[in-house]
Amino acid sequence: MTVEREKLVLIGNGMAGVGTIEQILKLGGAYDITVFGSEPHPNYNRIMLSYVLEGSKTIEEIVLNDRQWYADHNITLHTGTTVIRIDEAARQIITDNGMSVPYDKAIIATGSNSFILPVPGSDKEGVVGFRDIADCDAMIAAAKQYRTAAVIGGGLLGLEAAKGLVNLGMDVTVVHLLEDLMERQLDHNASSMLQAELARQGVKFAMGKQTIELTGDERVNGLRFSDGTELAADFVVMAVGIKPNTLLAQESGITVNRGIVVDDYLQTSMPGVYSVGECTEHRGICYGLVAPLFEQGSVLAKHLCGVQTQPYEGSVVATKLKISGVDVFSAGEFTETAEHTVISAKDEWKRTYKKILLKNNIIVGAVLFGDVTESANLQKLVKQGAEMTDEIYSEVMGTGCCGGGSAKKGMSVETMADEEIVCGCNGVTKKAIVDAVTENGFTTVDEIKACTGATRSCGGCKPVVEQILQFVLGDSFQQSAKQGICGCTTLSRDEIVAEITAKGLKTTKEVMNVLGWKQAEGCSKCRPAVNYYLGMLYPDTHEDEKESRFVNERMSANIQKDGTFTVVPRMYGGVTTPEDLKRIADVSLKYDVKVVKVTGGQRLDLIGVKKEDVPKVWEELDMPSGYAYAKSLRTVKTCVGSQFCRFGTQDSMGMGALLERKYERLDFPAKFKMAVNGCPRNCAESCTKDIGIVGNDGGWEIFIGGNGGIKPRIADSFCKVKTDEELIEVCSAVMQYYRETGNYLERTSEWVERIGLEQIQQVILDNEDNRKELAARIDFALAQVSDPWKKMLDDQETRTALFEQTRV
Amino acid sequence: MKTATQEYAVGKVQDFLLQIGRVVVAGGVELAIFRTSDGEIHAIENRSPHPKGGPLAEGIVSGCYLYDPLYDWKIDLRSGEVQTPDHGKVKVYPVVLDGDSVTVSL
């Protein structure tokens, strides 16, 4: 026989109510739960509607609990259903579509509605609030059709709405009754800086204007103000405030003032019925922000689960404006009076402003503009009612001695109580984060996010989460982040290579098994890396794992964003023949190549070859692979040189082709580019190549570690040699040393800086035996390679599996 | 309107190289079919849920996860769910193994 569980009904499927349910589930509360919501959506993150409007998030992205979540927790969900009455006598919930559901406990979390100004014309078409997804959709639709908009209300929501509409391409004027924006959260200084910043971003303002009428016929076409002036607008957003949605409570005979009146345990005047969120009035205050709602939910959840809890005693309200690139923060008291001591710093050049208010040396409020890095810290200090000290002062005002900053930050996290909420959106405490780190060995914010939900919503707490991570991991924070080659292992490249050699490991699978990888078959970062290390260590016996290769290397062609491929045939030293060009042209026409492009490395790139055509293109070109897809020798770029050029002192084309033939097809840690120049004019740009060679009258100068890409670096002069044989031997030794010591994906520009030019010179130039051994090892490895296109064309089975499309 | 599902014989087990995706067009839908190292066969729509799209068949397979070839999103081949920190879902089609013949229902 099953024990009949108590029935809990949640009225209002929003953040406050569902947040409470989540807390109850976490505490193991044994209720049969039913949820009613008027909106047709599952619970979404209302505070992120501004991002939806702004276009940086989609509605799907702000859903907090999808329908599966309700199903997973055996919660009955009725969306699009409005509860109209709670029948106390019968203990029944009555809905607008005639349902009646029994309850033992009920939570009212009906939130609030936009307050629509009671002026003539406010019911016209084209006038909306900014409260829910429907409003958001209306605004996005209006922006497509109309040009001018007015937002009435210069508070948090109004400004977010205005910026969103500007982003959608509308001409927007914010109409505000007072002279200062966000006057309920900001002081005059911060407010005027905010207005200037938003004006820079394209928002217009009509300040000190009282709207007395919305004009127009059926659809609004303008606003009339009390001073007689008018403003044209074919879309109006009312964002003058919110009104607790108390209709249900009133109809049911529950005591309502401005909001539904509750005690310190969120209990309403009706037994068994509670209220949380914006519809609630606690000690005379109705909150309209997310953090207090969560604090209320937390107390209520504990109370309903019979867990001991402190009563709810009100919240310190902190505000953050959610407009990308405009950072505003306020907490607690913000307007100074005679009894306040004021600390303030205004920097008009950097456009930052900071103010802290003290009362009897207790921190009671703060306002930040521009730089809000101290927001989490200040919010905590205000909430705790902390006393100002020299330490706190230098911490928050940033005037501490040099280098002290980060240590101070660590301290503030250290002193934070375990139960303190770090992520206000998802109710994640410091302890939950610390536990996640210590129990699971996490080292990144992303891991913490996936596990606890912290930083998942607005992301404002990310700096604090990072600080906690740093605090828990201590010195190993840096190390562990650097050590492992990816999230699958904590072993470094050198440790992995040493273990492979010591234990004689032969396959990536073996490496990952024996060395205790977290994900048995690794990830897209470590599998190709380990496959490279195995091939580098065992050039003759390692069986290359196609399945551990990145797509381009597996297919021997470069994938493009639409799934087609590019084919680059080899042209040694950048020299081709009319016959080859003709064939390239014919094949390109036959296979409908979209673009033929000359690459940066002096080759021809056939772009847009269909996957199934790739092997046919190879076959008909009948040229070696140009390796444009590989972590291998890509190209040897050459100038004309002594064969034709009047300045040429060396045969750069000949040497370039020779080097390219010698070193092609061998795997390197990353792509590898070379250049050979016939004279110091350096037309083939040796300074940006992994190995650049510059001819002179008496021999060659070799440069290494150049790069023209992401992190440009001019190559270092490595040495000068007299003969071609010496040149080849030095090149061989440098390449092999790089192959043996380079981290996978590390270019020589980074490798030279990490290992040190002098060290490389010592190994190769000062020790002839060493140099010859390195050169012999690369020759041995080079003896094992063959052309991948030919190999694929001869292997019908792999060719079919990789390139052909079966149709059934 | 929802049409009834139809079964398509897409090949033999050995046609699908271990941990390497293969493209099969069945009933007009382009599928990426994978054989994971535990012998399971998974069929998903060959289209990345990334806003920029692109194919999936060429990705790296690890266990029952796929790393997409263009943007490196991690996707669960069993459910089609994109793993955090990215979000999205790929359409998954049921696969039946009968001896060594592979059938996908669409």
Side-chain angles (χ1 to χ4, degrees):
Chain A
M1 199 185 82
T2 53
V3 181
E4 185 83 350
R5 303 217 276 185
E6 276 204 297
K7 292 181 182 58
L8 175 66
V9 175
L10 168 65
I11 305 161
N13 187 25
M15 295 178 74
V18 177
T20 308
I21 299 291
E22 279 188 323
Q23 292 291 312
I24 290 172
L25 294 172
K26 261 187 214 164
L27 294 169
Y31 286 102
D32 257 347
I33 302 173
T34 303
V35 177
F36 288 100
S38 296
E39 281 191 74
H41 309 278
N43 178 33
Y44 62 90
N45 192 334
R46 198 180 298 276
I47 54 174
M48 290 180 97
L49 275 179
S50 299
Y51 292 127
V52 173
L53 189 59
E54 196 188 66
S56 60
K57 294 227 183 284
T58 64
I59 286 173
E60 290 72 39
E61 281 175 306
I62 68 166
V63 167
L64 287 174
N65 306 83
D66 58 18
R67 287 176 194 275
Q68 191 60 44
W69 177 85
Y70 295 87
D72 289 346
H73 292 92
N74 292 321
I75 296 170
T76 312
L77 171 66
H78 301 283
T79 52
T81 308
T82 305
V83 172
I84 50 170
R85 201 161 53 83
I86 302 173
D87 185 336
E88 187 186 359
R91 285 245 161 181
Q92 297 261 344
I93 305 282
I94 317 293
T95 73
D96 59 347
N97 54 5
M99 252 191 281
S100 50
V101 175
Y103 72 92
D104 297 301
K105 300 269 164 58
I107 303 172
I108 307 177
T110 44
S112 59
N113 298 323
S114 294
F115 180 68
I116 299 291
L117 284 178
V119 295
S122 63
D123 53 351
K124 284 190 196 306
E125 205 180 289
V127 182
V128 300
F130 183 28
R131 218 35 232 153
D132 55 25
I133 288 180
D135 294 335
C136 215
D137 285 343
M139 289 162 79
I140 292 169
K144 289 194 182 126
Q145 222 182 330
Y146 302 98
R147 221 184 71 74
T148 55
V151 174
I152 305 179
L156 195 66
L157 215 52
L159 296 179
E160 289 177 5
K163 185 63 206 313
L165 290 171
V166 167
N167 282 7
L168 290 170
M170 293 191 90
D171 178 335
V172 183
T173 304
V174 170
V175 177
H176 197 49
L177 187 60
L178 301 170
E179 294 294 340
D180 282 336
L181 296 173
M182 285 179 70
E183 79 286 345
R184 288 175 59 190
Q185 288 94 13
L186 299 181
D187 66 350
H188 176 70
N189 269 323
S191 175
S192 46
M193 288 172 93
L194 171 63
Q195 187 176 338
E197 180 57 41
L198 288 172
R200 235 187 310 276
Q201 297 193 12
V203 181
K204 296 176 182 170
F205 292 94
M207 304 299 285
K209 298 277 189 191
Q210 184 184 2
T211 309
I212 52 164
E213 190 187 345
L214 301 184
T215 57
D217 298 327
E218 226 161 84
R219 188 179 177 89
V220 67
N221 66 10
L223 285 69
R224 184 168 296 133
F225 303 124
S226 58
D227 59 7
T229 56
E230 290 185 11
L231 175 74
D234 30 35
F235 187 64
V236 174
V237 178
M238 290 264 192
V240 288
I242 54 170
K243 192 174 64 184
N245 185 1
T246 57
L247 190 65
L248 162 71
Q250 277 168 339
E251 298 284 319
S252 310
I254 295 171
T255 307
V256 172
N257 195 4
R258 195 167 110 77
I260 303 167
V261 178
V262 296
D263 67 9
D264 286 357
Y265 291 94
L266 292 312
Q267 162 84 58
T268 68
S269 64
M270 186 184 282
V273 178
Y274 300 81
S275 176
V276 289
E278 290 175 345
C279 57
T280 308
E281 177 178 324
H282 172 261
R283 297 192 185 179
I285 300 175
C286 297
Y287 295 97
L289 296 160
V290 72
L293 314 191
F294 182 78
E295 288 170 16
Q296 293 175 352
S298 177
V299 171
L300 175 57
K302 285 184 185 160
H303 179 69
L304 287 177
C305 294
V307 176
Q308 189 107 59
T309 174
Q310 294 285 320
Y312 177 68
E313 294 178 314
S315 296
V316 171
V317 179
T319 305
K320 230 175 127 181
L321 191 62
K322 287 173 295 303
I323 297 179
S324 304
V326 185
D327 293 318
V328 184
F329 165 85
S330 92
E333 299 172 29
F334 55 88
T335 313
E336 57 254 50
T337 62
E339 53 179 347
H340 288 107
T341 307
V342 182
I343 305 168
S344 80
K346 186 173 174 183
D347 183 332
E348 293 188 340
W349 186 66
K350 281 192 167 175
R351 297 191 201 129
T352 62
Y353 173 65
K354 194 179 275 186
K355 182 172 83 170
I356 298 168
L357 290 186
L358 309 179
K359 207 186 267 178
N360 302 324
N361 208 35
I362 300 291
I363 302 169
V364 293
V367 177
L368 300 175
F369 182 86
D371 173 7
V372 293
T373 44
E374 287 298 330
S375 59
N377 196 13
L378 279 167
Q379 186 180 345
K380 188 191 78 184
L381 293 169
V382 171
K383 195 171 159 188
Q384 289 172 345
E387 192 162 344
M388 184 53 101
T389 62
D390 282 345
E391 270 179 16
I392 292 177
Y393 181 87
S394 56
E395 196 178 307
V396 296
M397 296 307 289
T399 50
C401 56
C402 300
S406 60
K408 291 274 158 58
K409 282 243 161 67
M411 274 181 58
S412 73
V413 173
E414 193 180 344
T415 53
M416 190 185 265
D418 277 354
E419 289 313 314
E420 189 160 324
I421 288 161
V422 174
C423 174
C425 299
N426 298 301
V428 184
T429 60
K430 174 192 168 193
K431 186 169 186 300
I433 296 172
V434 171
D435 288 351
V437 174
T438 51
E439 283 165 21
N440 304 305
F442 291 161
T443 56
T444 66
V445 174
D446 276 344
E447 288 170 315
I448 293 172
K449 171 163 121 184
C451 173
T452 65
T455 75
R456 186 177 58 148
S457 301
C458 79
C461 59
K462 196 172 166 203
V464 186
V465 174
E466 268 168 0
Q467 283 171 28
I468 293 175
L469 191 58
Q470 203 160 3
F471 165 67
V472 176
L473 296 178
D475 290 339
S476 63
F477 177 60
Q478 286 290 322
Q479 276 183 0
S480 61
K482 258 191 198 154
Q483 245 177 13
I485 59 165
C486 68
C488 302
T489 177
T490 53
L491 297 175
S492 69
R493 178 255 182 223
D494 289 347
E495 289 167 330
I496 293 166
V497 170
E499 292 281 351
I500 291 174
T501 320
K503 300 198 162 99
L505 307 172
K506 298 290 182 209
T507 63
T508 57
K509 225 167 234 177
E510 228 173 75
V511 170
M512 293 171 184
N513 263 327
V514 172
L515 303 183
W517 244 245
K518 278 181 208 126
Q519 186 164 282
E521 296 177 354
C523 67
S524 55
K525 298 206 169 47
C526 60
R527 274 252 298 285
V530 172
N531 185 48
Y532 165 75
Y533 298 137
L534 288 166
M536 179 269 289
L537 292 167
Y538 312 120
D540 53 339
T541 54
H542 174 60
E543 201 166 314
D544 186 54
E545 301 173 9
K546 274 206 165 328
E547 66 278 12
S548 299
R549 291 277 191 173
F550 172 65
V551 45
N552 289 357
E553 296 200 293
R554 184 181 333 123
M555 311 291 280
S556 301
N558 298 57
I559 194 165
Q560 303 301 306
K561 65 178 186 181
D562 61 354
T564 63
F565 287 82
T566 70
V567 172
V568 180
R570 187 63 88 183
M571 286 177 189
Y572 297 97
V575 177
T576 181
T577 63
E579 293 77 16
D580 279 356
L581 280 176
K582 202 157 170 284
R583 196 157 351 124
I584 289 170
D586 289 340
V587 174
S588 300
L589 281 172
K590 179 170 174 187
Y591 290 98
D592 193 24
V593 163
K594 297 287 175 274
V595 170
V596 179
K597 183 179 186 314
V598 180
T599 70
Q602 301 181 329
R603 302 303 139 93
L604 289 177
D605 194 353
L606 314 186
I607 304 177
V609 180
K610 287 192 266 318
K611 187 175 168 184
E612 55 268 35
D613 287 342
V614 169
K616 295 180 210 159
V617 169
W618 295 342
E619 197 160 26
E620 292 180 37
L621 282 175
D622 192 26
M623 294 173 193
S625 164
Y627 272 80
Y629 47 80
K631 308 195 189 332
S632 175
L633 175 62
R634 292 280 177 91
T635 56
V636 181
K637 187 175 186 176
T638 64
C639 68
V640 173
S642 63
Q643 284 188 37
F644 294 94
C645 178
R646 64 195 162 119
F647 300 117
T649 55
Q650 292 280 7
D651 178 10
S652 48
M653 288 195 297
M655 179 53 75
L658 187 148
L659 293 173
E660 192 163 335
R661 279 182 200 280
K662 179 171 174 62
Y663 298 113
E664 68 174 328
R665 298 170 188 159
L666 192 60
D667 285 324
F668 282 77
K671 64 178 166 184
F672 200 92
K673 298 180 177 182
M674 295 175 78
V676 182
N677 290 275
C679 81
R681 284 177 186 73
N682 205 357
C683 294
E685 299 156 339
S686 284
C687 49
T688 56
K689 300 293 178 283
D690 294 282
I691 293 184
I693 297 162
V694 179
N696 54 54
D697 217 357
W700 305 94
E701 182 168 3
I702 303 170
F703 295 82
I704 67 169
N707 194 315
I710 295 180
K711 231 180 88 188
R713 181 178 192 275
I714 298 294
D716 295 309
S717 171
F718 188 67
C719 67
K720 286 184 179 170
V721 294
K722 291 208 165 56
T723 66
D724 293 357
E725 290 70 35
E726 284 174 281
L727 171 67
I728 292 169
E729 189 175 276
V730 171
C731 286
S732 288
V734 169
M735 287 184 195
Q736 183 63 11
Y737 191 47
Y738 167 56
R739 293 182 72 236
E740 291 178 5
T741 57
N743 296 329
Y744 188 67
L745 297 184
E746 178 181 45
R747 293 292 300 271
T748 57
S749 50
E750 304 157 287
W751 172 72
V752 168
E753 299 211 335
R754 179 169 64 85
I755 305 269
L757 182 66
E758 277 178 27
Q759 160 75 14
I760 302 168
Q761 285 169 324
Q762 229 170 47
V763 167
I764 291 167
L765 304 176
D766 302 351
N767 186 332
E768 198 188 333
D769 290 346
N770 222 342
R771 179 168 72 239
K772 290 201 181 307
E773 281 165 25
L774 282 165
R777 285 207 290 278
I778 203 170
D779 282 343
F780 180 70
L782 284 166
Q784 319 298 326
V785 299
S786 62
D787 184 69
W789 291 357
K790 277 223 171 59
K791 230 182 338 191
M792 186 80 79
L793 292 173
D794 293 341
D795 178 357
Q796 189 58 47
E797 195 190 340
T798 311
R799 172 180 169 172
T800 312
L802 283 189
F803 291 95
E804 272 164 37
Q805 208 177 61
T806 317
R807 285 178 180 275
V808 293
Chain B
M1 198 179 76
K2 209 177 159 177
T3 48
T5 58
Q6 195 171 341
E7 297 191 341
Y8 293 90
V10 294
K12 304 268 175 230
V13 170
Q14 54 272 23
D15 294 340
F16 302 96
L17 301 182
L18 267 180
Q19 298 187 293
I20 291 182
R22 181 166 187 168
V23 180
V24 175
V25 180
V29 179
E30 191 172 311
L31 303 172
I33 300 183
F34 299 89
R35 175 150 67 110
T36 51
S37 40
D38 58 3
E40 290 287 319
I41 302 227
H42 300 274
I44 62 176
E45 189 180 3
N46 190 24
R47 199 177 62 186
S48 171
H50 189 281
K52 291 186 180 174
L56 292 172
E58 294 83 1
I60 289 181
V61 178
S62 169
C64 54
Y65 294 101
L66 173 74
Y67 292 86
D68 99 70
L70 293 171
Y71 307 103
D72 206 34
W73 279 17
K74 187 178 178 183
I75 297 162
D76 190 330
L77 288 170
R78 298 163 300 186
S79 62
E81 291 288 351
V82 175
Q83 306 297 296
T84 50
D86 304 303
H87 299 285
K89 196 174 166 108
V90 186
K91 203 156 186 201
V92 182
Y93 298 93
V95 176
V96 176
L97 267 176
D98 182 12
D100 64 352
S101 57
V102 183
T103 312
V104 178
S105 348
L106 276 113

